[in-house]
Amino acid sequence: MEKIRISLAQVNPTVGDLEGNGRLVERAICAAKEAGADLVALPELVLTGYPPEDLLLKPSFVRDNLRTLDAVADAARDVAAVVGFVQPDGRRLYNAAALLAEGRVQAVYRKHLLPNYGVFDEKRYFEAGYGIVVADLGGVRLGITICEDLWGEEGPHVACAAAGAQLIVNINGSPYHRGKGTQRRELLEKRARDNGVAFAYVNMVGGQDELVFDGQSCVISSDGTTLARAAQFDEQLLTFDVAGGAVLGSETSHVGEPVEIVGLAAGSGPKPPVEAAVAPELDAVGEVYRALVLGVRDYLGKNGFGQAVIGLSGGIDSALTAAIAADAIGPGNVLGVLLPTDYTSQESLDYADDLAQRLGVESVTLPISDAYEALLKTLDPIFRDTPWGLAEENLQARVRGTLLMAISNKTNRIVLTTGNKSEMAAGYATLYGDMAGGFAVLKDVPKTLVYELSRWRNQESEVIPVEIIDRPPTAELRPGQLDTDSLPPYESLDPVLKAYVEDFESIGAMVEAGLDEAVAGRVVAMVDRAEYKRRQAPPGVKITDRAFGRDRRVPITNRYRVPSQ
Amino acid sequence: MEKIRISLAQVNPTVGDLEGNGRLVERAICAAKEAGADLVALPELVLTGYPPEDLLLKPSFVRDNLRTLDAVADAARDVAAVVGFVQPDGRRLYNAAALLAEGRVQAVYRKHLLPNYGVFDEKRYFEAGYGIVVADLGGVRLGITICEDLWGEEGPHVACAAAGAQLIVNINGSPYHRGKGTQRRELLEKRARDNGVAFAYVNMVGGQDELVFDGQSCVISSDGTTLARAAQFDEQLLTFDVAGGAVLGSETSHVGEPVEIVGLAAGSGPKPPVEAAVAPELDAVGEVYRALVLGVRDYLGKNGFGQAVIGLSGGIDSALTAAIAADAIGPGNVLGVLLPTDYTSQESLDYADDLAQRLGVESVTLPISDAYEALLKTLDPIFRDTPWGLAEENLQARVRGTLLMAISNKTNRIVLTTGNKSEMAAGYATLYGDMAGGFAVLKDVPKTLVYELSRWRNQESEVIPVEIIDRPPTAELRPGQLDTDSLPPYESLDPVLKAYVEDFESIGAMVEAGLDEAVAGRVVAMVDRAEYKRRQAPPGVKITDRAFGRDRRVPITNRYRVPSQ
């Protein structure tokens, strides 16, 4: 009975770093060889990083990616490799997978299905491919597909199975959102069973601007059983053996597309057995926490920031942000800044200090009242005889933003903003104030999930003082202020935001689902009004099904109001 | 000989304003009737406004657009109408044109070619249509196509001509950039001659976030002659007569797609003759000025701002911004604010005052040194014993941004920022400082064009003091500072920016085109580094072939460096 060994290289490439990504691939090839693999699969567009966006419009970028492919191909000796790259054909580009062996490109598969929804813009750049590639590796027939191909019921796996493929290697740049792992696994199980073929699914890990890739590479047998799975959010090489019986299915009778069949030699000699490892999955809150940590670590690391500065208010958002930052880059690289006014309560200061100590981050207190008063005095010709109000509240937030940015400029620390998705949705945030910074850690995290994440982080030890979690939320921009002065309670707000922001539901549908009509109407109007603010927000990690940003492209100038029915 | 009359309604819809856009269409139908027209054509997606973006993902929005279509159809009696709308078909959407007559929808054409490049994302929303519609109107055969359809050599005009269409009504939501009018006219001439068919091209006018639609609706005979043209940037009803001979061409022999032929009655009775009007075209600089004025007027008007506030520095960028704002919303609605430090020269203050007087805008002076010093003092625990530098320069800019935003909040005026495209490209701008505001008027205007526009505006009378145009550019953030301390001279900078930002050219290609290699290398690195700033910039009017924003989607996290060869 034939037996071959395959490694799935769950690596963390960087967009645009052709040389670095090439080295990453070469190291993976090397590691796979050491593991005795006959073939190693790397993620979608691993050479360019994903998504390369408009870099694809630079001819030199496409050309340089081909040079990198040549270099990588040269390393693929004694082991075959499947490597994602951009293939030009005249003026057209293809999202492609090269099958490398014996030091050169043996075949190229071009992605059939191009996602152009949500965060994806692939039809902006790529043409749809046609035809399939099946490789014969030591008697085992392997099909190759790319990411979205898997999501179409009639995707190229059908033709691959018809052409006798027993295992389909599907390479991915599949971004994370909550529960995506389960969604993918169910899909893979269905495709495997429907087509009677096993799947080897390899995904990248790492953060790229607003996206985080979670890995979870896996091997699914043709009866839908998960045989092996790599961990979430970590680089790993997942190696498994394929033998005739257990993993591979029978042929199907579909009529396929033009097939290119490539013969590859499998390594000879006995190999030490590989134990199938199925990494445990993180719980529903833990996976979000890990996504945020990785998103922050990579945004900072890949953009050259070793240190961060965070305004600490004594509230839960800044506490959680600081905890994530400390976990991402180490507490020694995080500076907390307390920026109190006369409205700031002593307990806020105490809680913030306590937090900093528990996290082990340095903190400094810069009282802002003098600067605030000086700005108010400067504004006197215009503010004189007007009632105190929103302008004065925002001014405090902007003094804080200005001070944090000054510290950023002076010390080369990136400012991490602390606002959550509920605030960002409702417009309960100040442009150039608490929204000022390089990365918005909780931008896609609803307030109710901020609480869950804080409790999750406190499981082992109380890193975030429990008083911070238990106190009622306040911006402390005027005496006795509470968030509920301006917003519905978060338990009422968040379900409306989910329905409206993520699912584009009508108010009628929300009411049918049991939400309060008055709250829904009020919240929807707030979301609509705040689009202009979000357009100037820093990037932040996408963790829901629909984040603000490229995922949700709503015009600023927009007179449409969702009807109540 | 048959003679029919057609009106092209060059109107200004607002995205999302289904009811308002419906009224706009009804008024156009009414006006066309009064002009004795047999048919009136309105722009692409006129009912929803263009581009509606993710509003299309709201089922209620699509449903409400159908209701509006029904209402509009009811008004189309005694005159036929072609009206752009969204047609759902199960879960699919089509960018469609309804042919209305006798109070109901007679036929629907679905756009074949969907642009998904530049600023366009139509494949995110729409399916490509198939089949054509030809109407017989009083013996004259009319084809209907939509915008991008025109740009494909083998677009549906070929099938329309094959089906005997003598005139093709092409409805548009075609955004402006420099020279687009000429590009369109040359294209129309070619399509007309190649297919032996006349074209009636109708485009919308108005601003929508970063886009401006310039109108220039026109009628082109089958021999490529421009018979009539509406003005740029203004709402107009362009009416023309079609008679058998001069305008219409002969049949072609192409084999067409499935054709739906609709018979329409033409109005009876003699009509007063219409004189063909060919509106003169603005010159190359004037059209940009008008685009900026309309972009500002509509962004403010459609978002509910009647008044604006602008920081006046005594430099040319803020001077031109103030002139455009005054032309857009009236000088009485513009407030200029002088925000001097100790580094501000007396001549800067004098020039700014002079400008305000010439424009007739109110101005106020708020010296910022006290506030700046108070902020520095607040920062002392961190800034102590560090050399004065970028942090202190940015702090001044951020004090100004904070003051302008405070005035905005207090007086409900929108802040118009004054930075130009050259600065935005090179990163020579301060986030939350001079970049703080609701709309960035000159965001897509290179500095060299800022000079041309200022001179253009001064043609009739010296609105912008000539001293402002002639002085060397300076940010005045430290003594004796000049832009050329940090940037190459703008005459060297702008051609590199055009090559790199708009055309994605390599440094090698720039050098071949005669640009300086050292300057090119330096500028390209500046552009790459500043992506994060641009991501948080306010929207501004697109006037070049490639603006920052949705037009140019470059990742922030990006290690690719354009090779020098």
Side-chain angles (χ1 to χ4, degrees):
Chain A
M1 198 171 282
E2 307 293 346
K3 181 177 156 189
I4 60 167
R5 182 168 291 181
I6 295 179
S7 289
L8 304 181
Q10 179 170 299
V11 295
N12 186 345
T14 298
V15 164
D17 190 8
L18 300 171
E19 212 177 302
N21 297 339
R23 280 196 304 269
L24 206 63
V25 172
E26 286 171 17
R27 278 202 302 272
I29 288 173
C30 209
K33 252 192 263 190
E34 278 169 31
D38 300 296
L39 181 138
V40 56
L42 287 119
E44 179 180 18
L45 291 182
V46 67
L47 295 186
T48 61
Y50 190 88
E53 303 188 70
D54 277 10
L55 296 179
L56 292 168
L57 304 184
K58 303 187 184 192
S60 67
F61 182 73
V62 174
R63 195 187 59 218
D64 292 349
N65 126 96
L66 292 181
R67 283 196 196 143
T68 309
L69 181 68
D70 282 345
V72 161
D74 193 57
R77 297 174 189 277
D78 304 325
V79 62
V82 177
V83 174
F85 77 110
V86 181
Q87 188 183 43
D89 186 354
R91 294 181 56 190
R92 297 176 168 198
L93 299 182
Y94 294 89
N95 182 336
L99 176 63
L100 311 178
E102 292 165 34
R104 59 184 186 81
V105 177
Q106 304 286 340
V108 172
Y109 168 77
R110 296 166 166 187
K111 189 177 187 178
H112 288 201
L113 302 183
L114 302 173
N116 206 68
Y117 55 81
V119 299
F120 303 108
D121 279 321
E122 291 202 13
K123 290 182 182 171
R124 180 176 172 91
Y125 310 105
F126 298 118
E127 300 290 323
Y130 188 74
I132 58 168
V133 170
V134 175
D136 185 310
L137 181 62
V140 177
R141 290 197 146 199
L142 307 176
I144 299 173
T145 65
I146 304 178
C147 203
E148 188 77 5
D149 286 334
L150 181 69
W151 296 78
E153 179 102 35
E154 301 298 316
H157 37 262
V158 175
C160 286
Q166 296 153 300
L167 175 77
I168 290 175
V169 176
N170 176 252
I171 70 172
N172 291 266
S174 177
Y176 169 78
H177 64 72
R178 295 194 78 179
K180 185 92 168 268
T182 306
Q183 205 181 340
R184 282 191 209 116
R185 193 183 54 237
E186 288 170 4
L187 181 73
L188 280 163
E189 287 168 2
K190 180 166 165 45
R191 293 283 178 268
R193 282 195 302 260
D194 287 356
N195 295 280
V197 62
F199 275 90
Y201 177 100
V202 59
N203 190 19
M204 56 182 62
V205 285
Q208 169 58 28
D209 289 354
E210 301 211 298
L211 303 182
V212 165
F213 300 91
D214 55 334
Q216 292 217 65
S217 302
C218 62
V219 185
I220 308 276
S221 71
S222 59
D223 66 359
T225 310
T226 298
L227 302 173
R229 181 169 59 225
Q232 291 155 278
F233 305 108
D234 276 325
E235 288 195 284
Q236 280 200 337
L237 189 78
L238 183 69
T239 299
F240 63 99
D241 289 338
V242 181
V247 177
L248 303 171
S250 56
E251 293 195 8
T252 71
S253 58
H254 289 283
V255 178
E257 299 179 62
V259 180
E260 185 176 357
I261 295 185
V262 183
L264 302 174
S268 58
K271 295 165 185 169
V274 173
E275 247 178 85
V278 180
E281 288 175 294
L282 293 161
D283 65 56
V285 178
E287 68 171 35
V288 174
Y289 194 90
R290 288 290 308 278
L292 296 170
V293 169
L294 182 55
V296 169
R297 182 185 298 140
D298 275 7
Y299 190 82
L300 272 56
K302 292 178 179 180
N303 284 293
F305 285 100
Q307 300 190 301
V309 56
I310 301 172
L312 297 182
S313 69
I316 193 166
D317 296 320
S318 58
L320 180 61
T321 302
I324 291 166
D327 289 340
I329 59 173
N333 292 314
V334 177
L335 173 65
V337 185
L338 286 67
L339 298 156
T341 64
D342 299 341
Y343 308 124
T344 305
S345 62
Q346 185 57 45
E347 62 192 13
S348 288
L349 293 173
D350 293 344
Y351 296 161
D353 274 333
D354 188 14
L355 172 81
Q357 276 182 24
R358 285 166 183 263
L359 287 176
V361 311
E362 189 191 347
S363 75
V364 59
T365 302
L366 307 178
I368 70 165
S369 294
D370 290 351
Y372 168 66
E373 293 295 337
L375 283 157
L376 271 186
K377 203 174 151 203
T378 308
L379 286 162
D380 186 61
I382 287 166
F383 277 34
R384 192 185 303 154
D385 302 328
T386 66
W388 198 96
L390 183 70
E392 287 79 1
E393 289 189 26
N394 282 345
L395 186 57
Q396 297 167 63
R398 292 200 178 104
V399 170
R400 292 190 173 115
T402 296
L403 292 169
L404 289 172
M405 288 305 297
I407 295 170
S408 170
N409 287 157
K410 184 61 84 177
T411 65
N412 200 30
R413 291 170 181 270
I414 189 172
V415 177
L416 297 178
T417 66
T418 61
N420 59 61
K421 187 178 194 176
S422 308
E423 293 172 351
M424 195 58 48
Y428 194 62
T430 303
L431 261 176
Y432 326 128
D434 49 301
M435 287 175 67
F439 202 64
V441 180
L442 305 179
K443 184 180 182 182
D444 198 34
V445 181
K447 184 78 170 194
T448 46
L449 183 54
V450 168
Y451 285 99
E452 290 183 72
L453 288 164
S454 299
R455 290 196 193 95
W456 185 90
R457 184 62 184 83
N458 272 2
Q459 274 174 335
E460 283 180 25
S461 68
E462 191 187 318
V463 170
I464 298 173
V466 69
E467 294 83 357
I468 290 182
I469 300 178
D470 289 342
R471 66 190 306 209
T474 167
E476 291 194 327
L477 295 172
R478 59 175 186 262
Q481 185 180 28
L482 292 176
D483 286 12
T484 44
D485 301 343
S486 309
L487 299 175
Y490 288 109
E491 311 82 65
S492 311
L493 178 65
D494 281 358
V496 175
L497 292 175
K498 163 97 174 67
Y500 187 58
V501 172
E502 293 182 35
D503 304 333
F504 288 121
E505 276 182 15
S506 67
I507 294 175
M510 292 180 216
V511 172
E512 261 175 50
L515 300 178
D516 183 86
E517 187 168 349
V519 171
R522 183 175 160 214
V523 170
V524 160
M526 286 175 138
V527 173
D528 286 346
R529 262 199 314 268
E531 190 54 39
Y532 77 99
K533 286 193 191 180
R534 289 188 287 267
R535 207 59 72 85
Q536 294 190 47
V541 188
K542 169 181 161 74
I543 60 111
T544 69
D545 196 26
R546 195 177 300 274
F548 294 121
R550 60 201 269 153
D551 208 1
R552 189 177 187 277
R553 306 178 189 179
V554 174
I556 299 177
T557 304
N558 164 24
R559 292 223 180 114
Y560 185 65
R561 298 297 166 253
V562 176
S564 52
Q565 288 312 318
Chain B
M1 196 171 286
E2 306 294 346
K3 182 177 155 191
I4 60 167
R5 181 167 292 180
I6 295 179
S7 290
L8 304 181
Q10 178 171 301
V11 295
N12 186 345
T14 298
V15 164
D17 191 8
L18 300 172
E19 212 177 303
N21 297 339
R23 280 195 304 269
L24 207 63
V25 173
E26 287 171 16
R27 279 201 302 270
I29 288 173
C30 208
K33 253 192 263 189
E34 279 169 29
D38 300 297
L39 181 138
V40 55
L42 288 120
E44 179 180 19
L45 291 183
V46 66
L47 294 187
T48 61
Y50 190 88
E53 302 188 73
D54 277 10
L55 296 180
L56 293 168
L57 304 184
K58 302 186 184 193
S60 67
F61 182 73
V62 175
R63 194 187 59 216
D64 292 348
N65 126 97
L66 291 181
R67 282 196 196 142
T68 309
L69 181 68
D70 283 344
V72 162
D74 193 57
R77 297 175 188 275
D78 304 324
V79 61
V82 177
V83 174
F85 77 110
V86 181
Q87 188 184 43
D89 186 353
R91 294 181 57 190
R92 296 177 168 198
L93 298 182
Y94 294 89
N95 182 336
L99 176 62
L100 310 178
E102 294 166 33
R104 61 187 186 80
V105 177
Q106 304 285 339
V108 172
Y109 169 77
R110 295 165 166 186
K111 190 177 186 177
H112 287 201
L113 302 183
L114 302 174
N116 207 67
Y117 54 81
V119 299
F120 303 107
D121 280 320
E122 290 203 13
K123 290 182 181 170
R124 181 176 171 89
Y125 310 107
F126 298 118
E127 301 290 322
Y130 187 74
I132 59 168
V133 170
V134 175
D136 185 310
L137 181 61
V140 177
R141 288 195 148 201
L142 307 176
I144 299 172
T145 65
I146 304 179
C147 202
E148 187 78 5
D149 286 334
L150 181 69
W151 296 77
E153 181 101 36
E154 300 299 318
H157 36 262
V158 175
C160 286
Q166 296 154 302
L167 174 77
I168 290 175
V169 176
N170 176 252
I171 68 172
N172 290 267
S174 177
Y176 169 79
H177 64 73
R178 294 194 78 179
K180 184 92 169 266
T182 306
Q183 205 181 341
R184 282 192 209 115
R185 192 181 56 238
E186 288 170 3
L187 181 73
L188 280 163
E189 287 167 1
K190 181 166 163 44
R191 293 281 178 269
R193 282 195 301 261
D194 287 356
N195 295 280
V197 62
F199 275 90
Y201 177 99
V202 58
N203 191 18
M204 56 182 62
V205 285
Q208 169 59 27
D209 289 353
E210 301 210 297
L211 303 182
V212 164
F213 300 90
D214 55 334
Q216 293 217 62
S217 303
C218 62
V219 184
I220 309 276
S221 72
S222 59
D223 66 359
T225 310
T226 297
L227 301 174
R229 181 169 59 225
Q232 291 154 278
F233 305 108
D234 276 326
E235 288 195 285
Q236 279 198 336
L237 189 78
L238 183 70
T239 300
F240 63 99
D241 288 339
V242 182
V247 176
L248 302 173
S250 58
E251 294 195 8
T252 69
S253 59
H254 289 282
V255 177
E257 299 178 63
V259 180
E260 184 176 357
I261 295 184
V262 183
L264 301 174
S268 58
K271 295 165 186 172
V274 173
E275 247 178 88
V278 180
E281 288 176 294
L282 293 161
D283 66 56
V285 178
E287 69 171 34
V288 174
Y289 194 89
R290 287 290 309 278
L292 296 170
V293 168
L294 181 56
V296 170
R297 182 185 298 140
D298 274 7
Y299 191 82
L300 271 55
K302 292 178 178 180
N303 284 293
F305 285 100
Q307 300 189 304
V309 56
I310 301 172
L312 297 182
S313 70
I316 193 166
D317 296 321
S318 58
L320 179 61
T321 302
I324 291 166
D327 289 340
I329 58 172
N333 292 314
V334 178
L335 173 66
V337 185
L338 286 66
L339 299 155
T341 64
D342 301 341
Y343 308 125
T344 305
S345 62
Q346 185 57 46
E347 62 193 12
S348 289
L349 293 173
D350 294 344
Y351 296 161
D353 275 331
D354 188 15
L355 171 81
Q357 276 180 27
R358 285 166 183 264
L359 288 176
V361 311
E362 188 191 348
S363 76
V364 59
T365 302
L366 306 178
I368 71 165
S369 294
D370 289 351
Y372 169 65
E373 293 295 338
L375 282 157
L376 270 186
K377 203 173 151 205
T378 307
L379 286 161
D380 186 61
I382 287 166
F383 277 35
R384 190 186 304 155
D385 302 329
T386 67
W388 198 96
L390 183 69
E392 287 78 1
E393 290 188 25
N394 282 344
L395 186 57
Q396 296 168 62
R398 292 199 177 104
V399 170
R400 292 191 173 114
T402 297
L403 292 169
L404 290 171
M405 287 305 297
I407 296 170
S408 170
N409 287 158
K410 183 62 82 177
T411 65
N412 201 29
R413 290 170 182 271
I414 189 172
V415 177
L416 297 178
T417 67
T418 61
N420 59 61
K421 187 178 194 176
S422 308
E423 294 172 350
M424 195 59 49
Y428 194 62
T430 303
L431 261 176
Y432 327 127
D434 49 301
M435 287 175 67
F439 203 63
V441 180
L442 306 179
K443 184 179 182 184
D444 197 35
V445 180
K447 184 80 171 193
T448 46
L449 183 54
V450 168
Y451 285 98
E452 291 183 72
L453 287 164
S454 300
R455 291 197 192 93
W456 186 89
R457 184 61 184 81
N458 272 1
Q459 274 173 333
E460 284 180 25
S461 69
E462 192 187 318
V463 170
I464 298 172
V466 69
E467 295 84 356
I468 290 182
I469 300 178
D470 289 342
R471 67 191 305 211
T474 166
E476 291 194 327
L477 295 172
R478 57 173 187 262
Q481 184 179 30
L482 292 175
D483 285 13
T484 45
D485 300 345
S486 308
L487 299 175
Y490 288 109
E491 312 80 65
S492 311
L493 178 65
D494 281 358
V496 175
L497 291 176
K498 163 98 173 67
Y500 187 58
V501 172
E502 293 183 34
D503 305 332
F504 287 120
E505 274 182 17
S506 68
I507 294 174
M510 293 181 215
V511 172
E512 262 176 50
L515 300 178
D516 184 86
E517 187 168 350
V519 171
R522 182 176 160 213
V523 170
V524 160
M526 286 175 139
V527 174
D528 286 346
R529 263 200 313 267
E531 190 55 38
Y532 77 99
K533 286 192 192 180
R534 290 189 286 269
R535 208 58 72 85
Q536 293 190 48
V541 188
K542 168 181 162 74
I543 61 112
T544 70
D545 197 26
R546 196 177 299 273
F548 293 120
R550 58 199 272 152
D551 209 2
R552 189 176 185 277
R553 306 178 189 179
V554 174
I556 298 176
T557 305
N558 165 22
R559 292 224 180 113
Y560 186 64
R561 297 296 165 255
V562 177
S564 52
Q565 288 312 315

